[in-house]
Amino acid sequence: MCASQSGRLSGDDVFDLTRTAVVMADRAGLARGWTKGAERLLGYQVSEAVGKPLAELFAGVASGASRDSRWESRLAAEEGWSGLEAVRHKDGHRLDLEFRVLPLMVAEKHSIRLVLAAEMTQTPWSGASRSFLEGILGMSPIGVAMVNADLQYVWLNDALEEMGGTSREQRLGKRLGEIQPGLDVEGIESEMRKVLSTGTPSVGYEYLGNPESDPLREHAYSTSFFRLEDEAGQVLGICYMVLDVTESYRARQRMALLNRAAERIGNSLDVWQTAQELADAAVPDLADFVTVDLLDALLSGEEPSPDPVDAADLVTMRRAGQQSVREGCPEAVVAVGDAAAYPPSAPVVLSLVEGDSALFQTLDLADGAWAAEDPVRAAHLRELGFHSLMVVPLRARGAFLGAAAFARWQHTGPFQPDDLVLAEEFVTRAAISIDNARRYTREHNTALTLQHSLLPHDLPEQCAVEAAYRYLPADPLSGVGGDWFDVIPLSGARVALVVGDVVGHGVHAAATMGRLRAAVQALADLDLSPEEVLAHLDDMVNRVGHDTNADDGVIGATCLYAVYDPVGCRCTLARAGHPAPLLISPAGRGRLLELPTGPPLGLGGMPFESVELPLPEGSLLALYTNGLLLGKALDLDGGIARLRTALADARAPLEELCDTVIGGLPGGRPVDDVALLLARTRALAPAQLATWEVPADPSAVGQARRSAAGRLAEWSLEELAFSTELIVSELVTNAIRHASGPVSLRMIRARALICEVSDSSSTSPHLRHARTTDEGGRGLFLIARYAERWGTRYTSQGKIIWAEQPLRSVGGAVPVADTDALLDALDALDDTGDPTRATGTGTEGH
């Protein structure tokens, strides 16, 4: 047993077991047990230490005849001993240690001592003297105990006694399962046996349980175990230290649950589906049973009131979603879609009328006004054992939409205030998504004509993918819906594939769709990454929302942006609240791409992420909107299965596949607008590419021109030789003079002839007006004259400056005299190695 402890450490002092030596000794002063911690601290192995006097193992810095007698008196003291002493490590260096000697009864006739030692320089509480070790083993919040080889308690400190709720007398001589049946005894004892058999300490082992001190609430514990041995190497037992980490464990669980809910709630623009997502996300991790009721006026398209709801209006609430840990939701007295009527005293009604969340940690279903006014519901819930309840109003942008109720019946303890905070986070996220969906539904038909005029009618020419599309409105009389798509050729023979869905109020939503499509095309020309494009679109939608009158509502949208590169056959994708695309391999195997969800456009403040993946030639990528998947039964999984089946023959003509997909819609008519964009990937053959590394030397410009001219001859494009040599000369010269290496030149023969020069600089050249006396400054004007398009795109290694020429005769050629002069200048450049002195064209700099 431990002597009574009077010292106490402050709340900031923490016992670090990894830096503590634990030694077993007899009253004669001989070491009988030696831990790994003692090996690390003093340098002696078990075989060297066991059986030797402590006075020798803890040899003082200043030797003296009284050294042995001091340790004998310390070990003989009935009340134990604590103090500071400087000793020698095995290798001779000094250690300033704090000691604690505790009497310990292992058996009735054999009294031994437990010696703890910690290095002062490694502890935040060095110099705490006696209170240091007394606080650790007495009043410290860390529980410490020892069990023998049969896992029976032989010693414990005050903290563990208080933590478990059982006294020393109840514990000593017994195993954990006999005194704490509410813990994971099997797992804990299994961990102890593993430490006993291997000798390897176990640090930070976590488990859950309901201790005797608080049987109604589940606690989390973090425990460290290490083995003790005698001088013969025989195992004496286990010493373990335990901390109650319930609050930190619950905080981690709440954060993980909130992250999962963020992925599951708000993935569609459908009111009913979002309400069901809320219920699904909260069961079973937060509650055992969840209901989501929405105001009937909201579902009929009316504008919700910003004021708390009148109790008389609540008779028209409707069940929009529900979920239970029990199969079939036996707790529910109404089905999804049916009216949910409550008496005026019901918690759901009171929460909506008062406009605040309500927490009933202990739910009384046997008495009170609610039970009297609704005895059938109260008796049903009482029979099922409900004991705790939370009600949270659904409110978005100041308007009340309905309420969500969270209930518990299992023995996980009542809801706590932090559970209510988590439920409010869930409901807030769902309410925003529900309100966005409501506004979209109400205004969908108003803007169809305007949106139709903003949609693409023909797909542009490009060589990266073969593409086809279908657009099918939910209302066949209007001719078009609110979704949009695009195929945008990019530099380097790449292509951007875009599918989006705009929501909002009135014609402002239709105008926003036009803005978004124009913005996407402009951002695509800047060669931004998909996540940057979505971030800029998110900012734009936010600005549109701020510029919109209050009565016009808030604009929002979802979008998926993908960039495919036929050179490397890789695709980069990002999405903002949009359904994930379906990928069909050339062999016909289909799968949904796992992409970070990202918030819908217009929420603001949340980042977007992109994913890059390989797409072999002949892969079929299907981009679509929700209307393609959701039938009248709102079966998302069934819609994905239908789409996968319709696209199984990945080599069939795309137009035929589009017809098959649309023809497979349930009922032949979608419940929502449908946009479908199919893209079958192509790959550029190696013969269509040419790449050269260019030394950072002005004389290398000529070689770059000659290499380009030679490749043009192989491609039978000699008519582009002059303009290409000029473009290559200017781009390479610019990179050598104003950027840093490495510099590389790439030519691509695709729909157009593409010349690209890359370097590691992040700054780009710009046009400037050269004076007649300037030696340089006209290079980019010449490139702009001969190239159909040119620009800059940035990479993780720097930038690429590119120029495209059509694969047809270039009109408007310069006069012969000017051509000869330029060719002479280029020849002179090869001789001088100085581009500005040779041509006078120069470059515009970075």
Side-chain angles (χ1 to χ4, degrees), residues 7-222:
R8 183 184 296 270
L9 292 177
S10 67
D12 294 334
D13 293 327
V14 180
F15 188 54
D16 187 353
L17 298 176
T18 63
R19 296 172 178 172
T20 302
V22 181
V23 180
M24 303 287 291
D26 58 23
R27 300 187 66 168
L30 298 180
R32 298 301 182 187
W34 193 260
T35 64
K36 293 292 185 181
E39 288 184 359
R40 288 192 296 269
L41 183 61
L42 295 167
Y44 296 100
Q45 301 296 317
V46 174
S47 60
E48 299 175 297
V50 173
K52 288 188 177 181
L54 289 192
E56 181 180 339
L57 297 171
F58 295 123
V61 174
S63 61
S66 62
R67 185 181 63 202
D68 294 347
S69 61
R70 285 204 311 268
W71 272 107
E72 290 177 4
S73 63
R74 293 169 182 173
L75 295 171
E78 293 297 330
E79 297 299 322
W81 174 84
S82 65
L84 312 175
E85 186 165 334
V87 304
R88 293 287 185 190
H89 189 272
K90 178 184 176 182
D91 63 12
H93 76 267
R94 171 176 173 148
L95 295 172
D96 294 316
L97 302 183
E98 302 190 46
F99 286 94
R100 177 69 165 128
V101 179
L102 294 171
L104 183 64
M105 294 298 296
V106 176
E108 292 182 358
K109 297 182 180 180
H110 299 283
S111 177
I112 65 172
R113 296 295 184 263
L114 180 68
V115 181
L116 304 180
E119 189 175 4
M120 294 172 56
T121 58
Q122 298 297 324
T123 59
W125 16 252
S126 61
S129 188
R130 181 180 181 83
S131 65
F132 160 55
L133 290 174
E134 290 178 347
I136 291 175
L137 296 177
M139 305 305 293
S140 170
I142 299 177
V144 184
M146 290 189 64
V147 297
N148 59 23
D150 294 325
L151 305 185
Q152 297 169 328
Y153 283 95
V154 296
W155 181 87
L156 68 151
N157 71 344
D158 295 341
L160 186 62
E161 181 181 20
E162 195 174 311
M163 185 183 302
T166 52
S167 66
R168 285 184 173 84
E169 291 72 17
Q170 293 174 298
R171 284 182 182 256
L172 293 177
K174 297 180 181 179
R175 291 172 56 171
L176 181 64
E178 301 177 66
I179 57 174
Q180 293 284 356
L183 300 180
D184 179 19
V185 177
E186 184 177 345
I188 298 171
E189 292 191 346
S190 174
E191 191 72 10
M192 288 186 185
R193 291 190 185 94
K194 184 168 65 174
V195 175
L196 281 173
S197 63
T198 64
T200 303
S202 174
V203 179
Y205 175 77
E206 288 194 353
Y207 55 91
L208 304 175
N210 296 76
E212 292 294 324
S213 58
D214 190 8
L216 296 180
R217 187 184 182 203
E218 189 175 57
H219 285 241
Y221 299 95
S222 177

Side-chain angles (χ1 to χ4, degrees), residues 681-699:
T681 60
R682 296 168 174 159
L684 293 182
Q688 295 178 268
L689 304 173
T691 303
W692 300 275
E693 296 298 326
V694 181
D697 184 346
S699 62

Side-chain angles (χ1 to χ4, degrees), residues 448 452 455 471-473 475-481:
L448 289 177
H452 177 58
L455 287 172
Y471 198 99
L472 188 65
D475 183 0
L477 299 178
S478 300
V480 72

Side-chain angles (χ1 to χ4, degrees), residues 558-827:
T558 68
C559 183
L560 188 146
Y561 187 90
V563 175
Y564 174 69
D565 184 356
V567 175
C569 292
R570 302 191 66 83
C571 187
T572 305
L573 309 93
R575 59 173 174 156
H578 204 80
L582 181 68
L583 175 64
I584 307 296
S585 70
R589 292 185 296 272
R591 64 182 176 94
L592 282 178
L593 295 181
E594 296 182 1
L595 307 179
T597 303
L601 300 175
L603 294 184
M606 300 179 69
F608 299 95
E609 299 179 46
S610 64
V611 170
E612 184 180 10
L613 67 158
L615 291 187
E617 183 178 11
S619 299
L620 183 62
L621 195 62
L623 285 67
Y624 49 84
T625 55
N626 274 328
L628 186 70
L629 303 180
L630 300 179
K632 293 183 178 179
L634 304 181
D635 182 11
L636 181 63
D637 292 337
I640 294 174
R642 289 194 305 272
L643 180 60
R644 184 183 288 112
T645 301
L647 299 177
D649 185 5
R651 299 184 181 277
L654 292 187
E655 294 294 335
E656 180 180 315
L657 290 177
C658 286
D659 292 337
T660 302
V661 171
I662 298 302
L665 290 173
R669 175 178 171 181
V671 297
D672 193 9
D673 303 327
V674 171
L676 172 66
L677 178 62
L678 298 182
R680 179 178 290 134
T681 60
R682 296 168 174 159
L684 293 182
Q688 295 178 268
L689 304 173
T691 303
W692 300 275
E693 296 298 326
V694 181
D697 184 346
S699 62
V701 177
Q703 180 58 46
R705 290 200 315 272
R706 288 188 290 273
S707 298
R711 184 50 58 100
L712 290 179
E714 295 178 16
W715 288 341
S716 300
L717 296 176
E718 291 87 349
E719 70 276 9
L720 297 177
F722 171 75
S723 57
T724 302
E725 288 187 50
L726 178 62
I727 290 171
V728 167
S729 177
E730 294 299 335
L731 293 183
V732 173
T733 298
N734 197 65
I736 292 175
R737 292 188 61 200
H738 300 288
S740 56
V743 176
S744 64
L745 168 65
R746 183 171 76 164
M747 293 177 59
I748 303 173
R749 187 185 190 279
R751 185 180 57 88
L753 178 64
I754 304 170
C755 297
E756 297 180 340
V757 174
S758 61
D759 58 60
S760 59
S761 172
S762 59
T763 58
S764 61
H766 56 276
L767 288 167
R768 66 181 180 88
H769 295 283
R771 294 170 297 184
T772 55
T773 57
D774 287 345
E775 293 185 358
R778 303 173 180 84
L780 291 183
F781 281 103
L782 291 174
I783 292 176
R785 172 72 182 275
Y786 284 96
E788 186 177 51
R789 297 195 310 156
W790 72 277
T792 305
R793 70 174 182 269
Y794 296 93
T795 67
S796 58
Q797 293 79 30
K799 70 173 183 300
I800 296 173
I801 306 177
W802 54 271
E804 288 187 8
Q805 301 176 77
L807 295 182
R808 58 180 183 271
S809 298
V810 180
V814 296
V816 174
D818 294 339
T819 301
D820 293 340
L822 284 171
L823 289 175
D824 292 341
L826 292 176
D827 292 337

Side-chain angles (χ1 to χ4, degrees), residues 258-339:
L258 187 59
N259 289 337
R260 290 196 298 270
E263 296 176 355
R264 299 176 62 180
I265 298 175
N267 293 318
S268 72
L269 293 172
D270 182 85
V271 171
W272 298 90
Q273 183 174 336
T274 304
Q276 186 61 47
E277 288 171 351
L278 170 59
D280 293 341
V283 175
D285 295 313
L286 179 60
D288 300 325
F289 177 56
V290 174
T291 63
V292 182
D293 298 318
L294 299 179
L295 299 177
D296 205 29
L298 168 85
L299 296 172
S300 63
E302 297 180 22
E303 188 71 20
S305 170
D307 301 320
V309 183
D310 192 294
D313 298 332
L314 296 180
V315 296
T316 59
M317 291 185 69
R318 194 164 297 276
R319 180 64 47 84
Q322 59 188 17
Q323 187 56 273
S324 169
V325 294
R326 293 183 172 106
E327 186 176 356
C329 264
E331 302 92 337
V333 296
V334 298
V336 173
D338 293 344

